[in-house]
Structures are given as C-alpha cells and as structure tokens.
Amino acid sequence: MPTQYEHTLKTLQQGANRHGRRLVVAGLLVVLLLLLVWQAGEQVTIRDREFSRLSTQSGIISHDLRRQLMSIRALHVNLQAELLSGAKTFESVRPFIDKRLSAFVQTVNGVRTVTLLDAKASVLASSNPQQQKGNSMADNELVQRVMQDAQPGTLYISRPYPLADNMLTIAVASMLTDERGEFSGMVVTELSPLEIGIMLSSVVYADDMHAGVVHADGTVFLAEPVTQKLLGHSLADSQDAFTKHVHSGNELSLYHGRQLYSHDRRLIVQQTIMPAELNISDALIVRISRNHDAVFASLYRSRWFMAGLYLVLVVSSVVLLRLWQRKSRQAFADLNNAQKQLVASNGMLVRLNRQLEQQTENMRSLAFLDELTGIANRRHFNRSLEAEWRRCLRERQPLSMIMLDVDYFKQFNDLYGHQRGDDCLVCIAGSLKNSLTRSHDLPARIGGEEFACLLPNTQLEGALIKAERIRSEIEALAIPHAGSLAGPVVTVSVGVACMLPEPGIDYLSLLEAADETLYRAKHEGRNQVYSGAAAESASVIGEGATGHESLD
C-alpha cells in the first residue's frame, strides 16, 4: 500500500505534467498571437506603402493634365486678344490664327485639334485640315452648351465621345467676346487620347496596375492598359469607389475593396482635377489602382512560410514535452527513493531540528523582548514602527503612538529600592498588555521607566481613549509612592501623537512628536494625557517646544 508521501509525490508528478502541457499550449498560443499581430501590422505597412506610391503616380498624372488645361486656357485667352487687337476683319488675321492653331497642336502634348467658331458655330479656322471653313458645328453638344450658358472665363469640358479609331476623348471650349463684351464665337480644343495614353502608361509600374481618367459623370474615357470593356464604362454606381470619392468632396481619396466592373479587390487612389484658377465646368478624376492579391503576394508567401515554421514548432514542442515528461517521471522516482532513505535517518534530524528551533526561539526572545517585563524591547519597537509606517503610507491609514513615563520614578527607587522599582515596572507592563486588546497593537519598554504603545490604523480620538484607559488602570493598581508629587500612588504621564504618513516624511517624526507630547504632559502637571491640536495630513497631533530637558 503506498504511503502518504508516495501518494503526494504521484499527485505532484501528475500536476507537473498538466502544468507542462498547459505551458506548452500557452506558449504556442502566444507565438501564434504574435505571428498574427505581426502579419496584421505587415499588411497595414504594405497597404500604406502601396497607397503612397499610387498617390505619387496619381499626382504626376494630375499635374500633367492640369498643365495641359492651363496651356489650353492660355491659347484661348491669346486668341481672344488677337481678335480684339484692332483688326477690322477676321480675314486679316486668319493666316496668323491658322499658324497659331497648327503650332499649338504640334508643340503641346495631348492636344488633337483646335477649332475656332463664330457666333453661329461655323468654323472660322482649325488646325485640322479636314475641317473645312464654314462647316457648322451647331449640333455639337458642347457647342450648344457654351452658346446657351455664354459664361466668359469658363472652361467648358465636354462629355466623352468616340473617335473613328474606337477611342474616346473629350473637348475643351471657351467663349469669345467682341469689343462690346457680347458673344462672338468660341474656341474648341480636342484632346488626343493617344498622347495622354502614353502619359498614363509612363506611370504604370506593375502588370496588374490600372490607370485611367474619368469624367465627372463617371464615364471612363482614358485607360491604361487600353481595354474596350473599361472604355466608355460608367462608374456612377452608388456602391463604386468613384461615387464615394465624388460624394466625399475630397481632392484625394483612398479606397480598398472590390470593383464592380472587374469584380476583383483593388487598392484605388482617386484624385480630382478641378483647379479654381481655371474655372472648369466639369471635374476630371484620375484613377489609379492595383490588384489586391498582387500587392500582398509577398505577404501571402510569408504566411505560408510562417505556417510551416509554426507547424515545425508545434511538432518539436510535442516531442520535447514527451521527453520532459519521461525525465520528470524518472526524477520523481529518484526523489521517492531518496525520500525513503531520508526517512530512515529522520529521527535524529527531527530531534536536532527541535533543539535548533528552541535555541532560535530563545535567541529571538532575547533579541526582541525586554528581559524584565517580557514585552517588546526598543529594537523590536523601532522595527515595528518602521514597518507599520510603510504599510500605513501604502494604505493611506493613520498611525498613532502612545508614550508614557512613570512619574517621579527616581524617587520611587531611592525610597523603596531597585527591586521594588523592577516589580513596579513589571506591573505597569502587565497593565499595558491588558489595556491593548487588538492583536496588532504593540506595547514596548523603550527606556528605564519609559513605555510606548504603537496603534496602527487608529485615529487620534481612539488613541486618546486608549491612553486615558492606560493611565487610569495604572493609577488603579494603587502602588504606594510616598515620594510622588502627583499623588499617593504610582502614576504616569502620557503623550499621544497621530500622523498620516506621506512620502518624504520619516517615521522618526512620529516618535519625536510623541516624545514632545509626553514632555508637555509632564510639564502641565503629570498624571495626565496630552495630545495637542489635530492635523489633517502628515503633520503631528500636538505642538510644543523644539527642545526640552527631563522634568524628573
């Protein structure tokens, strides 16, 4: 039948095995959590970095398109100035205008044609040789809009429309006025989708990347790579990122989600081109995006790699746990054998241990108890005072001290002898122990005829009540004292102090305060309790002189 020790040892072994398994599982879970957190942080880092690159490319396209619009606006203004420069007829400036239009198309990238119309929308001049003079463009939607609005200084943007080569483009127009400020015609500039497409392709740095320019109505009229599925497609859907960007009112917006037209998840940057200085009628939106899976491909590969490493870690942990459990069983078996050998010689060790404990207790008593009275000595009292001060400081509790001195004790010894004096001190110590009923209250003899009581967690009012009880009970002992001026029996003078410990104040401050109130009690006539005035923080309850001599 196994002994109690063997049963306990077996229980400990089983507990150690359970603890080991729990530690391994907890460690694996912590590693898994750290990996997940790292992966999440890496995903955010990759996403933010890619958004930054896409925003840079979007800014390049927006800057180039804004510069082209400014060049077009400058041409329109110059043409207005030429027509109002004082020439009597348009025919006199036609050669100059024709050259100006042709030179502008040749020098400014992204411009396909420039056409000058009169007030009836008939062609006056054009950079396109196929556009014959006198042809009417009155049925053109953009021309009709300019003629109806007739707002000087406005740069009108047409809706995207197809060209003969199945590509889409837009036209930019502004009205012209005569010397009286009335409508006299307009300039229509058509953008070249081929040249702007080259500009878009220059910012594409990945095969999965899409770049495009969208009209304010949501129609895609420029895209790279060019795809008939996307060209002319409208993004004006309530769930598409384009609509969210337009409704946000922001110049630049970032979006991460699924596109409706391509049904794949993408990182999308959209930037609105609508500079206030150009006063354009409709905004253009540059839209650049990358495929989600392509952007995070390296992260996905690292996830598979981490998953493999984690699997190896799990298998290794299980194997090591098995080895540890085997060694643990062997160690517990060796411990059991060692214990059996130890029990055989345990009798002598028990006797030696009892002797050592008795000697230790005797030494402790000699070190911390007063040999005469059997209560705590000065060393024990000082250590307890320091410990209770720190505890009350942590818990924000008051600490009170009662200090008492036997009145005219020197005269008592001279009159009755030292043996009677020792007996008197023993009686007073016994009265102190009987008066302090709480287990954590500490009475101590700290001098020849001087005693102190430490009262943790005690306000001044409670300390005063205990002090008065101690004084009256010692007086009630009725120990004759013919040499006392305070009365016919042995009496004590009692000083009480209370402090609320605070950082930066030493515990000796309480001892000094109690000693000061004891001095005041003796100074005021002895056989009484003195405390002084109460204070709210780490100030002493009781006031007096900063120095004094003994009144014995």
Side-chain angles (χ1 to χ4, degrees):
M1 183 176 179
T3 63
Q4 180 65 30
Y5 174 78
E6 291 174 340
H7 177 72
T8 303
L9 201 61
K10 184 177 180 180
T11 303
L12 290 176
Q13 180 183 351
Q14 294 173 349
N17 290 337
R18 286 195 301 271
H19 186 62
R21 288 193 295 270
R22 290 172 182 171
L23 282 178
V24 170
V25 172
L28 291 175
L29 289 177
V30 169
V31 172
L32 179 60
L33 179 62
L34 292 176
L35 287 176
L36 292 177
V37 171
W38 176 81
Q39 286 283 306
E42 189 68 14
Q43 183 172 358
V44 172
T45 301
I46 293 175
R47 184 197 63 189
D48 293 345
R49 183 173 62 241
E50 193 59 37
F51 269 136
S52 177
R53 295 178 66 185
L54 293 175
S55 299
T56 300
Q57 305 304 90
S58 172
I60 294 173
I61 298 299
S62 299
H63 176 75
D64 288 346
L65 286 177
R66 185 180 289 108
R67 186 177 57 185
Q68 288 182 347
L69 291 175
M70 293 180 68
S71 299
I72 292 172
R73 179 59 178 271
L75 171 68
H76 293 186
V77 172
N78 291 338
L79 288 176
Q80 172 75 48
E82 293 294 337
L83 294 175
L84 296 177
S85 61
K88 295 182 179 180
T89 64
F90 175 75
E91 294 299 329
S92 62
V93 295
R94 178 189 296 276
F96 177 77
I97 297 297
D98 288 338
K99 293 180 181 179
R100 173 68 65 84
L101 298 183
S102 299
F104 183 79
V105 171
Q106 294 174 2
T107 56
V108 178
N109 292 330
V111 176
R112 187 168 181 265
T113 62
V114 181
T115 304
L116 179 64
L117 306 180
D118 60 14
K120 296 181 179 181
S122 297
V123 176
L124 294 176
S126 177
S127 64
N128 183 7
Q130 299 178 355
Q131 189 69 268
Q132 298 180 1
K133 309 299 186 290
N135 287 349
S136 176
M137 294 181 62
D139 58 346
N140 184 278
E141 180 183 356
L142 177 62
V143 173
Q144 293 176 0
R145 181 180 177 187
V146 176
M147 295 177 69
Q148 291 174 359
D149 292 350
Q151 293 293 330
T154 300
L155 203 61
Y156 292 90
I157 306 294
S158 74
R159 298 181 61 184
Y161 57 89
L163 298 175
D165 51 3
N166 294 326
M167 300 187 71
L168 296 178
T169 188
I170 60 172
V172 181
S174 58
M175 66 171 287
L176 300 176
T177 60
D178 56 19
E179 61 275 4
R180 295 185 302 241
E182 296 180 356
F183 178 77
S184 63
M186 69 186 75
V187 184
V188 180
T189 302
E190 186 178 70
L191 300 185
S192 171
L194 189 60
E195 294 182 2
I196 298 179
I198 295 174
M199 178 178 63
L200 288 178
S201 64
S202 66
V203 301
V204 175
Y205 54 82
D207 295 337
D208 61 284
M209 188 171 173
H210 291 171
V213 182
V214 187
H215 190 267
D217 65 356
T219 304
V220 181
F221 66 92
L222 291 172
E224 181 62 35
V226 179
T227 168
Q228 295 302 321
K229 179 181 179 181
L230 184 58
L231 283 178
H233 178 83
S234 177
L235 302 179
D237 187 280
S238 59
Q239 300 299 321
D240 192 81
F242 172 81
T243 304
K244 295 178 181 179
H245 169 71
V246 173
H247 289 169
S248 70
N250 298 326
E251 180 182 356
L252 181 70
S253 65
L254 312 177
Y255 179 78
H256 187 188
R258 190 173 299 278
Q259 288 198 128
L260 297 180
Y261 74 88
S262 61
H263 305 291
D264 63 340
R265 294 183 66 194
R266 303 190 73 82
L267 279 73
I268 306 172
V269 172
Q270 299 174 106
Q271 186 167 354
T272 300
I273 303 175
M274 197 169 185
E277 64 272 15
L278 294 181
N279 191 24
I280 62 177
S281 61
D282 299 281
L284 301 179
I285 293 89
V286 176
R287 181 182 172 104
I288 298 182
S289 66
R290 282 203 64 189
N291 181 268
H292 170 91
D293 294 337
V295 172
F296 295 100
S298 60
L299 181 63
Y300 295 154
R301 289 193 297 269
S302 69
R303 284 180 179 176
W304 283 109
F305 178 72
M306 291 297 178
L309 287 181
Y310 187 74
L311 181 61
V312 172
L313 178 62
V314 171
V315 174
S316 302
S317 300
V318 172
V319 173
L320 292 176
L321 179 61
R322 292 294 184 185
L323 293 176
W324 177 81
Q325 289 177 340
R326 182 182 302 174
K327 290 186 178 181
S328 176
R329 288 193 294 269
Q330 183 61 41
F332 275 105
D334 295 341
L335 184 60
N336 189 27
N337 295 332
Q339 177 64 19
K340 291 179 180 179
Q341 296 175 4
L342 185 62
V343 169
S345 58
N346 193 45
M348 181 178 295
L349 293 176
V350 169
R351 290 192 298 271
L352 293 174
N353 187 52
R354 288 175 180 172
Q355 294 175 3
L356 181 60
E357 288 179 352
Q358 185 62 40
Q359 293 175 0
T360 302
E361 184 63 28
N362 294 338
M363 293 178 63
R364 185 180 294 111
S365 299
L366 292 175
F368 294 106
L369 295 180
D370 181 64
E371 184 177 2
L372 175 63
T373 61
I375 62 176
N377 59 13
R378 183 62 179 259
R379 175 187 298 177
H380 188 186
F381 180 80
N382 288 342
R383 290 189 178 183
S384 299
L385 173 59
E386 183 179 4
E388 290 295 342
W389 180 273
R390 290 197 298 268
R391 186 184 65 78
C392 290
L393 175 63
R394 291 193 304 272
E395 300 177 1
R396 299 296 299 161
Q397 294 293 328
L399 180 61
S400 296
M401 181 186 295
I402 299 174
M403 187 175 290
L404 57 133
D405 190 84
V406 182
D407 295 330
Y408 301 105
F409 188 70
K410 181 178 182 300
Q411 289 79 354
F412 187 92
N413 278 335
D414 294 342
L415 187 60
Y416 298 101
H418 289 283
Q419 183 59 46
R420 289 282 300 276
D422 290 348
D423 295 340
C424 175
L425 295 177
V426 171
C427 292
I428 292 175
S431 178
L432 285 178
K433 288 193 291 186
N434 294 333
S435 299
L436 302 178
T437 57
R438 299 190 307 177
S439 60
H440 53 279
D441 292 342
L442 178 68
R445 182 187 178 198
I446 60 175
E449 68 276 12
E450 194 172 16
F451 296 85
C453 301
L454 194 59
L455 308 176
N457 301 350
T458 303
Q459 298 284 354
L460 178 62
E461 293 79 4
L464 287 172
I465 293 173
K466 290 190 178 184
E468 178 57 31
R469 183 189 305 159
I470 290 171
R471 188 205 64 77
S472 60
E473 288 183 358
I474 292 176
E475 187 177 16
L477 293 175
I479 301 173
H481 188 355
S484 174
L485 299 179
V489 296
V490 171
T491 60
V492 292
S493 298
V494 185
V496 181
C498 179
M499 296 184 71
L500 184 63
E502 289 187 354
I505 299 180
D506 191 77
Y507 68 93
L508 294 178
S509 301
L510 180 60
L511 190 63
E512 294 173 357
D515 183 63
E516 179 64 29
T517 56
L518 174 60
Y519 168 77
R520 296 295 298 271
K522 295 164 71 174
H523 187 270
E524 296 292 334
R526 307 189 187 239
N527 191 21
Q528 60 177 289
V529 175
Y530 186 86
S531 65
E536 290 297 331
S537 61
S539 58
V540 183
I541 298 177
E543 299 177 353
T546 57
H548 59 268
E549 298 179 355
S550 173
L551 297 178
D552 287 336

